[in-house]
Amino acid sequence: MTPLLRAALAAFVLLSAGSARAAAPGERLEKVVILSRHGVRAAMSSPERLEEASARPWPRFSVPPGHLTARGEALASLMGGYFHDHYVAEGLLERRGDCGAASYWANVTQRTIATAQAVGRTLSPGCAVAVGTVGEGRVDPMFEPVKAGVVVADPALARAAVAGRAGGDLAAWSASHRDAIERLDALLMQCPAGPCPPSPGKRRIFDAKPGFAEGEELVSLSGPEAFASGVTESLLMAWADGQDFAGQGWRGFDEDALTRVFALHQAEFDLRLRTPYVAKTLGGPLARRILATLEPEGSDGMIGPAGARIVFVAGHDGTLAVLGGLLRLEWALPGYQPNQIGPGGALVFERWRRADGVRVIRARFTGQSLRQLREAAPLTQATPPLSAPVFIPGCSTATPAFDCPLDRFEAVVSQALAS
């Protein structure tokens, strides 16, 4: 990272920290919903499978595929501690012994439950933290409404909607990413520039044919972008876990390289999950429950008990992506691609009562930087995670935190679900 970029990042962090705590006189924070991705996990594929796609060996994780790592648990605890200190400073929490002020819910995977537990230990210090789930072996309709049977989807329409955003030609859409494809090929195959020379016995990104694929998701894609999505996520998780790539013989792999190769992952995620029909189908129940939780008196479907002032929900990157697509939310953090959701990244919805009596929603996206993840850097009010305010289309106003009046937020969510 260049000195200029480091200075800009430091300035952004300081500005974010300052703006996050600059409450106007007479206003009061009343409720917070934190929708978080799980923390750093082991790769979903085995090292042997990943090594079919690279010229160098892959690091090994010490936990089963998809499980939260020890580093992931520690990083989640750092985020929990930061949230605790931040909301103590905002007057929402007591320093200690404020048990019952926060509630926790997680999807039914080891990594989401373990993430919520790790966050809870430091967000609710000294309290017995119980993480709610629907139970092992069951499907949570808030996270997977189609599989749970609470939403009826039209797979043909979903594919048509996705194809329409790609101009009806997934091959042409993929061809527009040629530079990023060559860049990832060079990193994986360890040559100066892609396309790299032939590598017998290796799975190459160029061999993946664009199109639709069969799978458990509402829409599944094949092609270089889908190939890259899984591989680059595995690179990110190993990087954030502190794994030694240089010791495995990898050259040219650093924060900047990692940021660049994620362009393909983001293109696949945007097309597959943020397409309006898909986002509404998969994100509708979650949006309803977040809205119910943010209502001043609560309402049917709210997450957690009515008395909880902070509600922490641990899901997956797809969980945040579909909600972002449904409500047309956009975010950007230094060192990441637009709308990227790193491990532990979170959409935060805060309900404030301003001095004029108007209740507003302030949304932001927050997460640890690649350096903070890699180094397990302590998080404090002086050295916080990255954070950026999120504009809610059709609702937010021209204020520093993009204040969204609560009644307009209700209308925006209702309109998104009805359209």
Side-chain angles (χ1 to χ4, degrees):
M1 184 181 293
T2 66
L4 181 61
L5 185 56
R6 289 188 187 277
L9 178 58
F12 178 90
V13 169
L14 290 175
L15 285 172
S16 297
S19 62
R21 295 185 60 182
E27 63 180 18
R28 181 166 61 91
L29 179 59
E30 297 179 327
K31 186 89 172 186
V32 178
V33 175
I34 302 171
L35 178 65
S36 175
R37 186 188 183 185
H38 59 75
V40 176
R41 57 159 172 76
M44 303 299 288
S45 299
S46 69
E48 292 77 17
R49 178 64 172 166
L50 290 168
E51 284 166 4
E52 293 175 7
S54 68
R56 299 285 183 261
W58 278 72
R60 266 52 178 173
F61 290 92
S62 59
V63 296
H67 281 222
L68 194 73
T69 67
R71 170 67 70 89
E73 182 178 349
L75 290 167
S77 290
L78 288 174
M79 282 296 286
Y82 167 75
F83 284 132
H84 170 266
D85 292 348
H86 176 72
Y87 288 118
V88 167
E90 292 287 12
L92 188 67
L93 294 178
E94 300 293 333
R95 175 63 61 181
R96 290 191 65 83
D98 200 359
C99 301
S103 71
Y104 303 87
W105 190 268
N107 196 17
V108 288
T109 61
Q110 186 276 342
R111 58 187 175 275
T112 49
I113 295 170
T115 295
Q117 291 170 335
V119 168
R121 282 194 289 271
T122 49
L123 177 52
S124 300
C127 303
V129 174
V131 176
T133 73
V134 298
E136 185 177 356
R138 301 177 64 187
V139 178
D140 190 330
M142 186 168 69
F143 296 102
E144 299 179 285
V146 175
K147 290 181 182 179
V150 300
V151 171
V152 177
D154 184 338
L157 181 58
R159 285 192 174 196
V162 167
R165 287 188 67 211
D169 189 339
L170 287 172
W173 171 80
S174 181
S176 71
H177 305 137
R178 177 76 185 194
D179 288 349
I181 292 169
E182 291 181 354
R183 187 180 301 121
L184 181 58
D185 185 60
L187 179 64
L188 292 174
M189 293 295 119
Q190 294 284 278
C191 74
C196 296
S199 299
K202 296 293 184 180
R203 294 185 295 120
R204 298 290 294 277
I205 190 171
F206 291 102
D207 299 331
K209 305 303 179 185
F212 289 106
E214 298 301 322
E216 294 184 359
E217 304 294 334
L218 179 56
V219 177
S220 295
L221 298 175
S222 62
E225 295 75 17
F227 177 101
S229 189
V231 170
T232 55
E233 270 292 308
S234 297
L235 286 172
L236 172 60
M237 293 300 173
W239 176 266
D241 201 51
Q243 301 278 1
D244 182 12
F245 281 88
Q248 300 284 353
W250 288 69
R251 300 186 306 273
F253 186 51
D254 55 20
E255 286 185 20
D256 291 339
L258 190 56
T259 299
R260 289 193 297 270
V261 298
F262 253 94
L264 294 169
H265 172 278
Q266 288 307 108
E268 191 267 350
F269 240 51
D270 180 84
L271 186 62
R272 180 168 60 87
L273 293 175
R274 290 179 63 99
T275 291
Y277 175 78
V278 176
K280 174 186 173 182
T281 302
L282 300 180
L286 174 63
R288 287 190 187 92
R289 297 198 63 185
I290 289 176
L291 174 59
T293 307
L294 289 168
E295 296 282 6
E297 304 302 327
S299 62
D300 291 342
M302 68 181 301
I303 309 166
R309 300 189 292 279
I310 296 178
V311 176
F312 182 88
V313 180
H316 305 266
D317 48 356
T319 310
L320 280 74
V322 295
L323 184 69
L326 174 65
L327 300 180
R328 296 181 295 147
L329 308 179
E330 308 280 346
W331 56 83
L333 296 179
Y336 291 97
Q337 293 286 334
N339 297 329
Q340 187 172 350
I341 306 155
L347 272 169
V348 180
F349 298 90
E350 299 177 343
R351 189 186 80 223
W352 288 79
R353 187 181 181 91
R354 295 192 313 212
D356 59 8
V358 175
R359 283 190 166 99
V360 298
I361 301 300
R362 294 174 182 168
R364 61 189 171 95
F365 188 85
T366 187
Q368 288 143 296
S369 69
L370 291 176
R371 182 193 63 79
Q372 287 172 330
L373 291 170
R374 178 78 171 169
E375 298 176 5
L379 301 176
T380 67
Q381 299 304 289
T383 58
L386 301 175
S387 181
V390 173
F391 187 92
I392 303 174
C395 184
S396 287
T397 55
T399 54
F402 302 142
D403 285 7
C404 166
L406 180 58
D407 59 348
R408 285 296 307 148
F409 184 68
E410 294 166 349
V412 164
V413 174
S414 297
Q415 184 176 1
L417 295 176
S419 61

